[in-house]
Amino acid sequence: MEFQEVVARRRMVRNYTRKPVDPATLARIVQTGRRSPSAGFSQGQAFVVVTDQGDRRAIAELADEQSYVQAGFDPWISRAPVHIAICVSEEAYRRRYRETDKLVDGREIRWPVPYWWIDAGAALQNILLAAVDAGLAAGFLGTHALPGLKNLLGIPDEYAPIGVVTLGHPAPDRRSGSLERGWRPDSEVIHWGRWNRDPTASGPRPGPRA
Amino acid sequence: MEFQEVVARRRMVRNYTRKPVDPATLARIVQTGRRSPSAGFSQGQAFVVVTDQGDRRAIAELADEQSYVQAGFDPWISRAPVHIAICVSEEAYRRRYRETDKLVDGREIRWPVPYWWIDAGAALQNILLAAVDAGLAAGFLGTHALPGLKNLLGIPDEYAPIGVVTLGHPAPDRRSGSLERGWRPDSEVIHWGRWNRDPTASGPRPGPRA
């Protein structure tokens, strides 16, 4: 599928048919997750791919799927034929930035931005887009909603799961109430030239407006 | 361009021709950055798009571009016709998760994962991919390498820049030495079923291997 169409079609989908995901397609989606950038090529991202029905039901229980169903959603977590836990190791980044070529004034940098989370987000985005490209749909559940996930999947101490992508063939779903908020206006989000510190200081801004 | 081709072609490119980026193309790339997911639809991401030559030179000075040139790289920062600072507001997420529908036991969640960084990473990845889709190339400079960026661009206190994407028409470049490390093997990164806690406990693993 064309890249721009993939981007335009992507949204969180919270219901799937019972049809399983083709193994070769699944492998390609996970590889697309791998094929994302990482600071210093640290490659701290990792993936646990769950297809076993018992494990998927266990994850749905951790997430208290029943509360979604009571709120009018479908049992989208247990129903998704694939769960992908996306994980990242902060220590992998720290190890990399303690190597000679990355030291600044002889020391590990102070990490004003924790790039392990940034890179996990890039991997997540690649997986979400790859799902759409494959004609599938994906949702996401954050770790805060999955107490005990690390233990269930045997994820080592060094790795933090950021959450689980649910993956499957799309079925009609109830959309998140959050979407009713609408998109923020471009003027608040995209700043041409410099941030518009003083909205009363007007005049044409350099560059195009979208 | 086909999505899988965009993903396969994407890499950090650290040199560009002098040709400017078409304004409509630039607007589409920034919009693609906007079109990324955010926890609770918080939309905490924001973008500062810099095309002014003086400002790009100032950013190159913050980054000590001269040290790159001395190390054998091109003056890729000042030469890039476009810089996009990607920013994110933690407070936007905290505000959203203090709304009634997001409270857990009457309180804001404890954020085991700081989703503002995750979502900034997703926006970054969308921009990097959109650049390739447009026949352009992009690089990235982290905030730790850009002291004073926030002040230079007038970014408000509430927003943290994660870094600057450099964007332009690709020119032959010197690749990062980090790439010589090679990709980690799939067996360390992709775990089928559960994380392989004990590599001596073998037997077939469920699901496909990529």
Side-chain angles (χ1 to χ4, degrees), chain A residues 176 178-179 181, chain B residues 38-43 93 96-97 102 119:
Chain A
S176 161
S178 296
L179 297 175
R181 309 164 66 79
Chain B
S38 62
F41 207 33
S42 302
Q43 302 177 65
Y93 289 78
R96 172 71 185 98
Y97 280 77
K102 287 296 185 187
D119 294 348

Side-chain angles (χ1 to χ4, degrees), chain A residues 143-182:
Chain A
T143 291
H144 60 286
L146 290 164
L149 178 70
K150 205 166 164 171
N151 195 42
L152 178 72
L153 298 180
I155 296 167
D157 283 347
E158 185 183 314
Y159 284 82
I162 66 160
V164 163
V165 172
T166 51
L167 190 69
H169 294 266
D173 70 330
R174 176 170 162 173
R175 300 204 179 195
S176 161
S178 296
L179 297 175
E180 288 162 21
R181 309 164 66 79

Side-chain angles (χ1 to χ4, degrees), chain A residues 60-114:
Chain A
E61 268 183 43
L62 294 181
D64 192 14
E65 183 171 64
Q66 207 46 44
S67 68
Y68 285 95
V69 173
Q70 280 162 10
F73 289 91
D74 299 280
W76 60 287
I77 305 164
S78 58
R79 198 173 273 173
V82 179
H83 291 181
I84 304 174
I86 299 177
C87 309
V88 71
S89 161
E90 173 178 339
E91 190 51 33
Y93 289 77
R94 294 189 175 274
R95 277 196 301 269
R96 172 70 186 99
Y97 280 77
R98 285 195 294 262
E99 293 180 29
T100 317
D101 63 321
K102 287 295 186 188
L103 297 179
V104 175
D105 299 329
R107 290 187 189 173
E108 183 186 339
I109 64 167
R110 280 166 53 226
W111 299 103
V113 176

Side-chain angles (χ1 to χ4, degrees), chain A residues 23-91:
Chain A
T25 302
L26 176 54
R28 192 172 70 238
I29 290 169
V30 182
Q31 285 295 341
T32 306
R34 286 210 63 180
R35 189 72 183 72
S36 54
S38 62
F41 207 34
S42 301
Q43 302 178 66
Q45 306 106 322
F47 309 89
V48 188
V49 188
V50 180
T51 53
D52 177 77
Q53 191 178 54
D55 284 342
R56 290 184 289 108
R57 281 188 182 151
I59 290 172
E61 268 183 43
L62 294 181
D64 192 14
E65 183 171 64
Q66 207 46 44
S67 68
Y68 285 95
V69 173
Q70 280 162 10
F73 289 91
D74 299 280
W76 60 287
I77 305 164
S78 58
R79 198 173 273 173
V82 179
H83 291 181
I84 304 174
I86 299 177
C87 309
V88 71
S89 161
E90 173 178 339
E91 190 51 33

